Amino acid sequence: MADLDQLRDAITGEGDYARAPDSPIERDTICQGCGYNLRGIAESAVCPECGTPAAFSIKGDRLQYANPKWLGTVRRGLLIASASSLLYVPLSFVLGALAFLLPLPEWIQIGLTLAGPVVCSLAMGYGSFLMTAPEPRLHGDEAPLNWRRAVRAASVLAALVVPAYLAAMVLHAQGAWRISRETWSILGYTLLVVPAAIYGCLGHLRTLARRIPDPPLVTTTSIVLIGLPITSVLFILSPLRESDEAHFWLEVVPVTLFLIWTFALVWMYALALASPAQKAQLKARR
């Protein structure tokens, strides 16, 4: 079977046997497993640092040739983020209804009210943390401060800011903490780290879409990246309006619709990465 694959790949110029398997690698080639330079190593050999097959690393930048463990981590993060966003509203509604209907102590009612949003926000932050995991072949050459690390930090901060804001809102409603209008404005502005984190994650994911490659997904992501700053500006302007109706149309409607679209896009990425992840695992087993 391997001979047939080799003959086919030699004719087409593609696949794992496009060249003689014992040919040395003649150009700088980064190992997909650890980032080691494989130049001079036979294509049939393995990386001397981590044991990843050299043939696995010479196919360029496409995700189907990426490190399968890393790609699985990214996809798992996408699934966690999309699932937690899907559960955010129903879980918050159910737990909030229980807190309202059941004769429970006040502190338990507050805990139930916050439980859904807090758990889902933390899960989304964890999913974002996974989807921005460092790719092994690039990790050794990363600068101390770069785009991926900044996005990761923003995702963690967003996962903490949202529960803090919700806790302040519930405590204010319960009369445990009276918050002034100015303080509310400041707390509201801290939520801008959420669209910043989403923007960074989508920008990071767009580079992965180019490596699938999936041009329609790249285009859709680019449209969302244009719309995200617009909704953020609307969010900033809405507190300046005294009218509840203006607040509703400037903030609630566009932000809600845009978040639904954004998290639907995250789910699309999880589906789009399924095939490259499967191919990467199959190639790693050869």
Side-chain angles (χ1 to χ4, degrees):
M1 187 66 179
D3 291 338
L4 292 176
D5 290 339
Q6 184 174 356
L7 178 60
R8 180 200 64 202
D9 295 340
I11 294 173
T12 61
E14 299 177 352
D16 292 339
Y17 300 97
R19 300 181 43 167
D22 291 326
S23 300
I25 299 174
E26 299 175 351
R27 65 181 187 279
D28 290 339
T29 301
I30 302 303
C31 173
Q32 295 279 14
C34 66
Y36 182 80
N37 192 338
L38 300 175
R39 183 168 186 160
I41 296 175
E43 293 184 11
S44 59
V46 298
C47 172
E49 292 291 323
C50 67
T52 300
F56 184 62
S57 301
I58 64 176
K59 298 302 180 180
D61 209 29
R62 289 202 174 189
L63 286 182
Q64 67 184 51
Y65 304 116
N67 183 293
K69 184 177 180 180
W70 166 77
L71 197 53
T73 299
V74 172
R75 187 165 184 265
R76 186 164 62 254
L78 288 165
L79 291 172
I80 292 173
S82 56
S84 56
S85 65
L86 183 65
L87 292 173
Y88 195 103
V89 173
L91 185 61
S92 301
F93 176 80
V94 170
L95 294 179
L98 289 175
F100 178 77
L101 296 174
L102 297 178
L104 299 170
E106 183 177 348
W107 66 272
I108 295 181
Q109 289 180 335
I110 294 175
L112 279 176
T113 304
L114 292 174
V118 168
V119 169
C120 290
S121 296
L122 293 176
M124 281 188 278
Y126 179 63
S128 300
F129 186 82
L130 292 180
M131 74 174 73
T132 54
E135 188 171 0
R137 70 188 182 97
L138 302 175
H139 187 49
D141 296 328
E142 277 192 326
L145 180 61
N146 59 19
W147 175 258
R148 184 195 65 78
R149 286 177 171 168
V151 170
R152 223 176 192 200
S155 299
V156 173
L157 186 59
L160 299 176
V161 163
V162 172
Y165 181 85
L166 294 174
M169 186 170 62
V170 171
L171 291 173
H172 179 77
Q174 294 288 336
W177 183 23
R178 291 299 177 185
I179 303 176
S180 66
R181 183 180 179 87
E182 292 75 18
T183 304
W184 272 124
S185 298
I186 295 173
L187 289 174
Y189 293 145
T190 63
L191 291 178
L192 290 175
V193 72
V194 177
I198 295 174
Y199 190 94
C201 285
L202 290 179
H204 175 72
L205 291 174
R206 185 171 59 175
T207 63
L208 299 184
R210 292 192 178 109
R211 293 173 59 186
I212 293 176
D214 191 334
L217 192 57
V218 173
T219 301
T220 304
T221 308
S222 299
I223 294 173
V224 173
L225 288 175
I226 293 173
L228 188 57
I230 296 175
T231 55
S232 299
V233 169
L234 293 177
F235 179 85
I236 294 173
L237 291 177
S238 62
L240 303 179
R241 306 287 183 178
E242 297 294 335
S243 168
D244 289 338
E245 182 179 355
H247 170 79
F248 180 78
W249 288 109
L250 274 175
E251 179 182 348
V252 177
V253 172
V255 170
T256 300
L257 292 177
F258 194 79
L259 285 176
I260 292 173
W261 186 18
T262 300
F263 288 116
L265 181 61
V266 172
W267 176 252
M268 290 167 59
Y269 269 97
L271 296 178
L273 289 182
S275 179
Q278 184 179 23
K279 290 179 180 178
Q281 287 191 358
L282 288 175
K283 292 179 183 298
R285 292 180 188 142
R286 290 187 178 183

